[in-house]
């Protein structure tokens, strides 16, 4: 998470904006659908479309978010009762 926050700071962006910009950089065939419960968060999400990520940063994020670095379940045991499996 520190690496993500540091990289986002280099773009004067939040980690969430950086993640959205990364998804947008993957191609026009991928459309992120972020959630927002506040107008300020919606505006931040929209601002991610204006971030132009460097190719080296996209590659770093590809590695950071690669399947080998994702561990564990999405939900803990008490949260699993709230979703259909």
């Amino acid at each position: 998470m520190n690496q993500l926050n540091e990289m986002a700071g280099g773009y004067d962006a939040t980690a969430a904006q950086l993640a959205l910009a990364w998804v947008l950089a993957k191609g026009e065939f991928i459309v992120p659908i972020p959630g927002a419960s506040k107008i300020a968060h919606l505006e931040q999400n929209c601002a991610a479309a204006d971030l132009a990520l460097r190719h080296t940063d996209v590659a770093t994020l590809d590695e950071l978010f690669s399947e080998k670095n994702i561990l564990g379940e999405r939900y803990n045991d008490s949260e699993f009762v709230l979703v259909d499996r």
Side-chain angles (χ1 to χ4, degrees), residues 38-66:
K38 297 180 180 167
I39 296 295
H41 293 162
L42 176 62
E43 291 169 344
Q44 286 177 351
N45 289 343
C46 290
D50 295 329
L51 291 178
L53 301 182
R54 292 179 289 277
H55 294 293
T56 55
D57 288 336
V58 171
T60 299
L61 291 167
D62 286 344
E63 179 66 22
L64 189 63
F65 293 129
S66 72

